[in-house]
């Protein structure tokens, strides 16, 4: 497994929890999209932080 594949696998695994939480709450679509974008921003910032220290 290449390094890029490993990173993609870790990021996909990290997104499972917030996505499943948003689906389970059955919020209106606009709210779900807003929360999804917030979670994506959080994980993007986390990925950038991890990449800068490695």
């Amino acid at each position: 497994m290449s390094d890029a594949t490993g990173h993609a696998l870790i990021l996909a695994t990290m997104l499972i929890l917030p996505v499943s939480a948003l689906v389970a709450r059955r919020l209106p679509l606009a709210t779900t999209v807003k929360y999804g974008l917030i979670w994506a921003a959080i994980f993007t910032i986390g990925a950038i932080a991890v990449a800068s220290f490695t």
Side-chain angles (χ1 to χ4, degrees), residues 1-48:
M1 177 173 14
S2 70
D3 192 41
T5 305
H7 284 281
L9 185 60
I10 289 170
L11 288 175
T13 303
M14 287 178 9
L15 287 174
I16 289 173
L17 181 63
V19 169
S20 65
L22 289 173
V23 171
R25 291 181 65 188
R26 298 184 186 189
L27 297 171
L29 182 60
T31 304
T32 303
V33 170
K34 181 177 77 171
Y35 287 165
L37 290 173
I38 291 170
W39 275 108
I42 290 169
F43 283 117
T44 301
I45 292 168
I48 291 170

